[in-house]
Amino acid sequence: MGRRQIDSEPTRWVSLILLLMGVFSCSLVYMFMSVILRPNQDNKFSPISEAESLVQTDGGCCRGIDQFELWGAAVKWGSEFKFNSSIECCDACKAMCSGKGGPCLCDSWVFCGDPEACGSKFGECWLKKQKDPLAPDRQQAGDNTIWTSGLIFGKGEGIVKLKTQHGTLHIKLLPECAPHSVMYILELLTMRHCVGCQFYRAEGHGQSWDSKGNHLKSASFGPPFALVQGTLEAEGVAFKKIPTEECPIIQRGSVAWIDSGPEFFISLANHEEWKNAYTVFGYVLPEDMEIAEKIATLPTIPDVWNNINVSVLEKPVSFSFSRVNKGPK
């Protein structure tokens, strides 16, 4: 409900001043977060700065990629299965996951949501099952594609290995929340080596967070910022900036982009103070967080990025992505 305008001159000036103060405050917050996660432009390093709770947080996501069509064996025929929105189509696919640890009967969906372009196909929702969810059958993409498509990874599915010399991190991908991001990671899976992929910044909990990632009362919010940071720009793969996707509160284990990538970070702590600033596209399984913690204890060199003290690894830690080996059926 709108407020009645008051025409007195002093009040108008007060309102203007308050508005300017609000804009200035928001700008300061944005600039601070950018500084934490971005070094100087002339620095050779590009910059930072689930757990089970993340599974619950991201349960409401239902995103897809526009002008993108996935093929696969149909489990529901769109000509007989229609909805008014892509979210409803995505939810119908999710409903075919038992949630009891078994595979999802549907792991991909395709929806036609443009009345003009779709014509008689408007509202069609095709639910599909991929032969290989980590290598989905992509039919076509581009301006001439009328479909919107998305992937669904059930419990125990969509997990990839990030292998380092210090151990392997198992990461659960979140295509329902960050479909563009996950498609890029799946592309990296096709490479034998991820040349150029590395961690170059590592900061522990310091005196600000406990071992479970909880912020300590009256402590500062860094530095250090409790994270390991790196790049996912691999030689031989053209990186396109990732659009902003789902941005939940950063929690211990969150794997998120810095801006639009390719720089990213793994958080070692819960960062409610960062609000909804970063696209989260996965999380490290809780049992593997000790590997990330180990990387955070490696020798570092102090540096200053845009007046913020950071810790840069003496020797960057290279890594690669690979599939999780499945046992015999």
Side-chain angles (χ1 to χ4, degrees):
M1 182 180 296
R3 290 179 177 272
R4 186 178 57 170
Q5 294 185 352
I6 301 176
D7 295 327
S8 65
E9 192 69 25
T11 302
R12 284 202 298 269
W13 280 110
V14 170
S15 299
L16 178 59
I17 292 171
L18 290 175
L19 175 63
L20 291 174
M21 290 175 63
V23 171
F24 181 70
S25 299
C26 291
S27 299
L28 282 179
V29 171
Y30 177 80
M31 290 171 62
F32 177 73
M33 294 309 303
S34 298
V35 164
I36 288 177
L37 306 181
R38 288 280 176 192
N40 293 321
Q41 293 298 319
D42 58 355
N43 193 308
K44 71 175 182 178
F45 293 102
S46 267
I48 169 172
S49 351
E50 191 165 324
E52 295 307 320
S53 57
L54 271 178
V55 178
Q56 298 172 2
T57 300
D58 296 324
C61 299
C62 241
R63 292 172 176 260
I65 299 176
D66 294 333
Q67 297 178 325
F68 179 61
E69 183 180 3
L70 288 172
W71 274 24
V75 296
K76 285 282 188 180
W77 289 74
S79 56
E80 304 168 356
F81 196 63
K82 296 189 176 185
F83 290 105
N84 292 320
S85 71
S86 61
I87 293 178
E88 292 175 291
C89 183
C90 171
D91 280 336
C93 185
K94 278 187 176 182
M96 298 184 73
C97 295
S98 66
K100 298 179 181 179
C104 291
L105 299 179
C106 169
D107 56 22
S108 50
W109 54 271
V110 181
F111 178 76
C112 203
D114 185 328
E116 183 176 345
C118 296
S120 62
K121 295 182 182 295
F122 174 67
E124 286 191 6
C125 173
W126 292 78
L127 303 186
K128 302 183 177 185
K129 181 70 174 175
Q130 299 292 322
K131 289 183 178 180
D132 183 352
L134 293 180
D137 188 356
R138 313 180 192 192
Q139 171 58 10
Q140 57 182 340
D143 294 340
N144 295 325
T145 304
I146 63 175
W147 302 95
T148 295
S149 300
L151 292 171
I152 302 291
F153 291 154
K155 186 175 181 180
E157 299 178 324
I159 297 173
V160 298
K161 295 191 294 185
L162 188 155
K163 300 171 66 175
T164 78
Q165 66 189 82
H166 303 286
T168 298
L169 298 166
H170 290 79
I171 297 176
K172 168 74 172 182
L173 299 176
L174 303 171
E176 306 98 315
C177 300
H180 291 89
S181 304
V182 169
M183 282 297 178
Y184 178 72
I185 301 301
L186 297 186
E187 188 174 358
L188 294 182
L189 275 183
T190 65
M191 305 175 63
R192 186 168 185 178
H193 302 288
C194 193
V195 179
C197 297
Q198 62 179 7
F199 291 115
Y200 51 76
R201 176 182 177 185
E203 300 180 8
H205 297 250
Q207 302 299 313
S208 297
W209 290 273
D210 64 21
S211 61
K212 295 182 179 180
N214 298 310
H215 186 253
L216 299 175
K217 187 177 181 180
S218 300
S220 72
F221 289 101
F225 293 99
L227 57 87
V228 290
Q229 177 182 328
T231 179
L232 284 171
E233 187 170 22
E235 293 182 14
V237 178
F239 184 85
K240 296 181 181 180
K241 289 188 176 182
I242 305 294
T244 299
E245 301 186 288
E246 194 73 16
C247 298
I249 296 295
I250 296 296
Q251 299 183 39
R252 175 175 167 82
S254 294
V255 185
W257 295 115
I258 300 168
D259 295 336
S260 298
E263 279 68 48
F264 79 108
F265 66 95
I266 297 174
S267 181
L268 307 181
N270 302 317
H271 284 289
E272 289 86 355
E273 76 279 9
W274 289 352
K275 307 300 181 183
N276 304 94
Y278 304 102
T279 292
V280 174
F281 58 90
Y283 63 88
V284 177
L285 298 189
E287 56 267 30
D288 290 342
M289 282 301 295
E290 62 183 29
I291 304 299
E293 296 282 2
K294 182 178 180 180
I295 294 173
T297 65
L298 296 176
T300 58
I301 301 170
D303 201 352
V304 178
W305 293 347
N306 299 318
N307 297 320
I308 296 293
N309 295 322
V310 300
S311 299
V312 176
L313 287 166
E314 287 185 0
K315 296 180 180 180
V317 176
S318 299
F319 60 80
S320 62
F321 281 102
S322 64
R323 293 166 165 270
V324 173
N325 297 323
K326 292 186 177 182
K329 294 182 179 180

